[in-house]
């Protein structure tokens, strides 16, 4: 403990998980950039392809936010930021969530306008090496390519996100794993145009836009909840995290503690807060409170900067 605040590092056994997660995120960024470039090259006037391009571009936000978090988790507290920099990731994540939601609404309005006006999307043919090729085939190939890497990488990220209790990484993994739905909608839209169904492209764009809005809403809700110091929640179920009750139970089991209540919040991947304790007596209280803190933080590796506060009683 220094004069400003407590520094923190991951348990040794989780450093390998963090290293692997960071490597997967960089691999994901490389794939996503290649997908974004290819999508831009072939999207033409297709509303579905435009929506997919927007979704793929904005899917970089949680990836970049995770890397920001990895950088700032190493930075110790200082005089200006005595609680450290671990929440820096939430700022970028909040901005990304707002952008995701805004673009989703814009794309939905644009696709619905196209359907209402009955605008017919056309997919031209191009000449490659002396052969005329329908651009739709290239679009379908890019759509299939845009789905496979994120789905595979998303499934690989999920267990690492759970082990590290990193909600930004979990969001990225969830979005990746669900990309098959958007890809399938895009394929259906392009195929519909091939069969003369003019409305298929706009309908596919609307479905993809709904997916973008859903992802943006979930990200926005989660980031705001953490910024507002919502109690810790399970990374998978979003229900109350078991650590809250476990810390209280561990403290109550101490023979000198009459009652105990905790108030915890999430600071990125760690949990901090206060434990309020009603002691049976005040003998050696300072030493006992320090022992209680050691007992509490031993409950879970995520517990950090947990303060023991003695009180006479609870109202």
């Amino acid at each position: 403990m220094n004069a400003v605040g407590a520094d923190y590092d991951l348990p040794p056994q989780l450093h390998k998980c963090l290293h692997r997660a960071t490597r997967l995120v960089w691999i994901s960024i490389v794939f996503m950039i290649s997908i974004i470039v290819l999508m831009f090259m072939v999207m033409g006037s297709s509303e579905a392809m435009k929506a997919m391009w927007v979704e793929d571009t904005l899917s970089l936000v949680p990836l970049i936010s995770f890397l920001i978090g990895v950088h700032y988790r190493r930075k110790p507290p200082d005089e200006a930021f005595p609680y450290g920099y671990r929440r820096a990731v939430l700022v970028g994540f909040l901005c990304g969530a707002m952008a995701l939601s805004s673009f989703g609404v814009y794309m939905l309005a644009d696709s619905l306008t196209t359907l209402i006006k009955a605008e017919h999307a056309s997919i031209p043919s191009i000449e490659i090496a002396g052969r005329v090729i329908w651009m739709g085939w290239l679009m379908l190939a890019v759509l299939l390519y845009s789905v496979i890497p994120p789905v595979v990488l998303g499934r690989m990220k999920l267990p690492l996100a759970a082990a590290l209790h990193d909600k930004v990484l979990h969001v990225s993994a969830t979005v990746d794993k669900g990309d098959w739905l958007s890809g399938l909608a895009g394929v259906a839209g392009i195929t519909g145009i091939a069969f003369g169904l003019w409305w298929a492209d706009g309908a596919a764009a609307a479905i993809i836009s709904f997916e973008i809005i859903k992802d943006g809403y979930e990200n926005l809700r989660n980031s705001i909840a953490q910024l507002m110091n919502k109690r810790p929640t399970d990374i998978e179920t979003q229900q109350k995290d078991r650590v809250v009750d476990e810390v209280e139970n561990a403290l109550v089991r101490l023979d000198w503690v009459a009652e105990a209540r905790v108030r915890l919040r999430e600071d990125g991947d760690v949990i901090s807060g206060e434990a309020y304790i009603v002691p049976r007596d005040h003998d050696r209280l300072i030493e006992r409170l320090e022992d209680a803190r050691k007992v509490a933080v031993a409950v879970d590796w995520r517990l950090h900067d947990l303060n023991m506060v003695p009180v006479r009683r609870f109202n």
Side-chain angles (χ1 to χ4, degrees), residues 5-229:
D7 199 0
Y8 178 81
D9 193 14
L10 283 173
Q13 66 272 19
L14 290 179
H15 281 285
K16 186 178 292 185
C17 288
L18 180 61
H19 178 72
R20 187 181 179 198
T22 304
R23 186 171 65 245
L24 281 176
V25 166
W26 278 113
I27 293 172
S28 297
I29 289 176
V30 171
F31 271 114
M32 290 312 303
I33 290 176
S34 68
I35 290 168
I36 291 166
V37 171
L38 290 173
M39 196 79 68
F40 181 79
M41 291 173 63
V42 303
M43 66 181 179
S45 62
S46 169
E47 292 294 327
M49 294 296 289
K50 289 179 183 177
M52 281 292 296
W53 182 80
V54 169
E55 182 181 36
D56 290 334
T57 301
L58 293 176
S59 66
L60 289 172
V61 171
L63 298 172
I64 295 172
S65 297
F66 174 80
L67 294 178
I68 292 173
V70 170
H71 171 74
Y72 277 104
R73 76 166 68 230
R74 303 190 188 102
K75 192 169 184 178
D78 54 32
E79 292 292 341
F81 293 90
Y83 292 97
Y85 294 82
R86 304 186 78 87
R87 287 194 177 189
V89 62
L90 294 178
V91 178
F93 196 47
L94 177 63
C95 295
M98 293 178 65
L100 194 65
S101 302
S102 301
F103 272 105
V105 171
Y106 170 77
M107 292 303 301
L108 178 61
D110 190 48
S111 59
L112 292 178
T113 301
T114 299
L115 288 172
I116 292 171
K117 292 183 176 179
E119 295 179 359
H120 294 216
S122 60
I123 301 179
S125 298
I126 60 172
E127 185 175 333
I128 299 178
R131 302 186 64 178
V132 176
I133 299 177
W134 181 55
M135 280 287 291
W137 294 119
L138 298 179
M139 292 179 180
L140 292 174
V142 171
L143 282 170
L144 292 175
Y145 171 65
S146 72
V147 170
I148 297 173
V151 169
V152 173
L153 292 169
R155 292 184 179 276
M156 295 173 69
K157 292 176 198 169
L158 278 175
L160 295 173
L164 295 167
H165 194 74
D166 195 301
K167 292 190 174 180
V168 175
L169 184 62
H170 184 267
V171 167
S172 174
T174 303
V175 171
D176 287 346
K177 199 176 70 169
D179 266 355
W180 65 270
L181 178 61
S182 298
L184 187 63
V187 169
I190 302 303
T191 305
I193 294 176
F195 282 94
L197 304 176
W198 65 267
W199 50 264
D201 185 60
I207 293 173
I208 297 169
S209 300
F210 272 119
E211 187 70 17
I212 295 173
I213 294 171
K214 180 179 74 68
D215 290 340
Y217 170 75
E218 290 294 332
N219 297 349
L220 193 61
R221 186 180 68 174
N222 290 336
S223 57
I224 290 176
Q226 288 198 50
L227 288 171
M228 292 182 65
N229 291 333

